């Protein structure tokens, strides 16, 4: 018995950080970890938005923002 994709109950959601998102922010996270540059300066250098980088850090790298 073949089950078509349409009738399948398999969940297609992706949990965690997508590889393409991780690749997009990799350089910025490395700069954030290793320098004293502000998020605004890092986002300008990497061509990202301030809000996007801040959001990514707050969700995926909370441990970097804790004292």
């Amino acid at each position: 018995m073949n089950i078509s994709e349409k009738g399948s109950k398999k969940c297609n959601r992706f949990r965690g950080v997508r590889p393409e998102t991780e690749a997009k922010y990799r350089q910025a996270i490395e700069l954030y970890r290793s320098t004293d540059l502000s998020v605004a300066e890092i986002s300008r250098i990497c061509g990202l938005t301030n809000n996007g980088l801040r959001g990514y850090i707050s969700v995926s790298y909370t441990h970097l923002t804790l004292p």
Side-chain angles (χ1 to χ4, degrees):
M1 181 166 116
N2 281 340
I3 298 176
S4 69
E5 287 292 319
K6 194 172 189 177
S8 175
K9 300 256 186 211
K10 184 179 178 189
C11 179
N12 292 327
R13 288 183 53 179
F14 187 90
R15 291 181 176 33
V17 179
R18 292 185 181 272
E20 57 269 17
T21 304
E22 189 174 356
K24 177 181 176 180
Y25 289 101
R26 185 174 290 125
Q27 180 188 10
I29 293 300
E30 191 57 39
L31 287 171
Y32 188 78
R33 284 182 179 156
S34 62
T35 67
D36 289 333
L37 295 173
S38 69
V39 172
E41 291 170 319
I42 293 170
S43 60
R44 194 175 322 113
I45 291 168
C46 296
L48 302 168
T49 63
N50 284 341
N51 289 338
L53 181 55
R54 284 180 198 278
Y56 184 74
I57 291 170
S58 70
V59 171
S60 301
Y61 289 91
T62 305
H63 63 281
L64 294 177
T65 60
L66 298 175

